[in-house]
């Protein structure tokens, strides 16, 4: 699947960087939305990869990499 790696999400109407997400806010508990499409984001906090947000449903039309 073509996954868009997002460094930012929207939480409480504010832009948050994935580095601000704590371990107990990971995955869907981050309560963040995509700045482009407004869908739920999933916070991925590493496990050998760079931290990033991913779409819970991967059908955003966001082309910003």
């Amino acid at each position: 699947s073509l996954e868009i790696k997002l460094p930012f999400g929207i939480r409480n109407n504010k832009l948050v960087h994935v580095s601000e997400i704590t371990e107990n806010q990971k995955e869907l508990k981050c309560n963040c939305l995509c700045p482009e499409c407004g869908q739920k984001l999933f916070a991925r906090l590493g496990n050998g990869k760079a931290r990033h947000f991913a779409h819970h449903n991967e059908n955003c039309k966001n082309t910003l990499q």
Side-chain angles (χ1 to χ4, degrees), residues 14-45:
K14 293 186 181 130
L15 204 60
V16 292
H17 190 264
V18 71
S19 65
E20 298 173 60
I21 304 300
T22 61
E23 190 66 26
N24 64 355
Q25 298 172 329
K26 67 183 179 183
E27 301 169 355
L28 285 174
K29 291 181 283 200
C30 69
N31 198 28
C32 290
L33 302 175
C34 175
E36 185 74 17
C37 72
Q39 292 194 56
K40 284 184 184 178
L41 294 178
F42 196 86
R44 297 217 167 118
L45 302 186

